[in-house]
Amino acid sequence: MKLFKTIGIAMLAISICTGCTNNTNDNLNLNSTDDLEERKFDIDSTTEYKVADIKFKIPDYFDIEDTDDPDIKQFFDNNSKLPILSLQKGDGTLSDDTIDEYINDFVNSSDGAFNNFTNFTSVAEKTKTSRIPYTRVYADGDIVLKDNSKLNADLTFYFISNNKKDKFVVFMYIQYDGLKYDYEYMVHQIIQNIEVTDKKNTDEKEDATNNTSNSTTNSSNNSSDTPTTTPSTSTPSPTTGEKNALRSAREYLSFSAFSYTGLIHQLEYEGYSTEEATYAADNCNANWNEQAAKSAKEYLDMSSFSRQELINQLIYEGYTQEQAEYGVTQNGY
């Protein structure tokens, strides 16, 4: 597994470096102006690519280049000689260690071209509508070209896992200095429109549902033999489904921010019942004010908002008015 993964990363790094380092600043036709035209994203003019159970909608102005590895897809804007986007499949569970290992392997496999990229920043985020979690890792530096000149670029990786957590995709984007277009908005829209197509293993959840159903049935049967004047004061033990939902809730909160209702909806999306999801949200010990502050920061890291726009966005995410106001205030508004 490790060898195949490293080979795949090396092939991607070498392929990108070939596109970059086989050129020089003189023949790349780069612009000297800082006034870039924003590349637009029209979902009706995209082609869908599926990698590791995850669908990506790539604008049609990109040309795909075949690689020797079927798990790697690389894209060139039809106005540029340089690779802009790539998709690569990874096997196994996505974790912080996996991400660190991938970044190190990529840099070390680049034959020195990316050695100047050292200060990587990692941010856990989620898509606004589908609430799909991902990790964005980015850095800027100088790519060393064939003639030993340097080309400054912003390098960004997006790590997205499938639902079963046995595969993941690395979506990479490079913004080179001097390109005609600014791709940041377009890339953001690609990420916001990803789809994770596989379903979680449901065996545990089916067992949990059966346990919950049996528990309810037994409780109902027992209640007919129990005087109504003697209510139970003991707290019922959580079901297997509730325990699993609580574990999932804590996992989500460990890398991203959620409102109370947003967390419930995310757990329901994962297949938990409303009762199980509510139990998890009630017992995860989250501070919803602090979650609102974290969500506000995540949004401000991605885009610009006025105070009222940010409050409205947080309310849309399920935060109360008070939580939303607290969140934006904690971020300088």
Side-chain angles (χ1 to χ4, degrees):
M1 180 79 69
K2 172 69 168 66
L3 179 61
F4 175 79
K5 176 186 157 192
T6 302
I7 291 175
I9 297 171
M11 290 179 65
L12 176 61
I14 291 170
S15 177
I16 292 171
C17 289
T18 299
C20 296
T21 61
N22 278 359
N23 290 286
T24 67
N25 273 317
D26 292 336
N27 65 14
L28 285 175
N29 299 321
L30 297 173
N31 300 319
S32 59
T33 177
D34 291 331
D35 296 329
L36 299 184
E37 180 181 342
E38 186 178 84
R39 233 1 178 162
K40 303 298 183 183
F41 180 89
D42 180 0
I43 199 168
D44 294 326
S45 300
T46 60
T47 299
E48 193 168 82
Y49 296 90
K50 183 177 179 181
V51 180
D53 301 321
I54 302 172
K55 292 181 180 179
F56 294 81
K57 295 177 174 61
I58 305 297
D60 290 336
Y61 48 75
F62 279 102
D63 298 322
I64 185 170
E65 180 181 88
D66 293 330
T67 65
D68 294 331
D69 190 331
D71 291 332
I72 296 175
K73 301 183 188 301
Q74 192 167 311
F75 301 88
F76 288 71
D77 193 329
N78 53 33
N79 78 91
S80 173
K81 296 180 180 181
L82 296 170
I84 305 295
L85 309 174
S86 72
L87 294 169
Q88 183 182 9
K89 172 189 172 185
D91 291 305
T93 302
L94 184 62
S95 66
D96 290 342
D97 289 340
T98 306
I99 293 172
D100 289 342
E101 183 181 10
Y102 184 98
I103 297 296
N104 289 332
D105 284 349
F106 180 89
V107 172
N108 294 332
S109 300
S110 68
D111 198 23
F114 289 95
N115 284 355
N116 292 319
F117 291 77
T118 56
N119 297 319
F120 284 92
T121 300
S122 179
V123 182
E125 298 172 334
K126 55 185 179 290
T127 59
K128 290 185 179 181
T129 303
S130 301
R131 314 298 294 174
I132 298 171
Y134 61 90
T135 300
R136 176 169 57 97
V137 182
Y138 58 93
D140 65 352
D142 293 323
I143 302 174
V144 180
L145 301 181
K146 184 178 180 180
D147 61 355
N148 289 323
S149 63
K150 295 179 180 180
L151 174 61
N152 188 260
D154 294 324
L155 180 62
T156 306
F157 298 90
Y158 296 84
F159 293 84
I160 308 120
S161 175
N162 68 348
N163 284 323
K164 292 180 181 177
K165 303 189 187 307
D166 60 356
K167 301 175 188 175
F168 61 91
V169 176
V170 184
F171 174 54
M172 188 181 68
Y173 148 57
I174 307 180
Q175 179 74 49
Y176 310 90
D177 275 8
L179 288 180
K180 178 179 180 181
Y181 294 107
D182 181 353
Y183 296 93
E184 184 176 4
Y185 172 79
M186 177 274 299
V187 168
H188 178 68
Q189 292 303 312
I190 291 175
I191 293 297
Q192 294 305 309
N193 285 279
I194 59 175
E195 298 177 48
V196 181
T197 61
D198 70 315
K199 301 296 182 183
K200 267 193 170 184
N201 290 323
T202 56
D203 292 344
E204 285 188 355
K205 291 171 188 174
E206 288 176 355
D207 291 342
T209 302
N210 291 335
N211 290 341
T212 304
S213 176
N214 292 337
S215 174
T216 304
T217 301
N218 292 338
S219 175
S220 176
N221 291 338
N222 291 339
S223 65
S224 62
D225 300 326
T226 306
T228 57
T229 55
T230 312
S232 173
T233 57
S234 63
T235 302
S237 299
T239 65
T240 301
E242 289 171 339
K243 291 178 181 177
N244 287 337
L246 180 57
R247 186 179 300 112
S248 292
R250 287 171 175 163
E251 288 176 359
Y252 277 116
L253 291 170
S254 69
F255 61 76
S256 191
F258 288 86
S259 67
Y260 176 82
T261 58
L263 183 58
I264 290 175
H265 292 159
Q266 178 62 37
L267 293 170
E268 289 176 331
Y269 174 80
E270 296 293 336
Y272 292 102
S273 69
T274 299
E275 291 76 14
E276 292 164 348
T278 302
Y279 172 86
D282 286 338
N283 291 275
C284 65
N285 298 323
N287 182 318
W288 304 115
N289 279 338
E290 293 305 320
Q291 292 298 307
K294 291 179 182 178
S295 286
K297 184 179 185 305
E298 289 174 1
Y299 279 115
L300 290 171
D301 286 341
M302 290 188 292
S303 186
S304 298
F305 291 84
S306 69
R307 174 181 168 84
Q308 192 56 52
E309 282 177 330
L310 190 53
I311 289 174
N312 292 343
Q313 182 62 43
L314 292 176
I315 291 174
Y316 174 79
E317 295 291 339
Y319 293 102
T320 65
Q321 179 76 32
E322 292 75 14
Q323 291 165 355
E325 290 179 358
Y326 177 89
V328 299
T329 300
Q330 292 299 110
N331 283 275
Y333 267 125

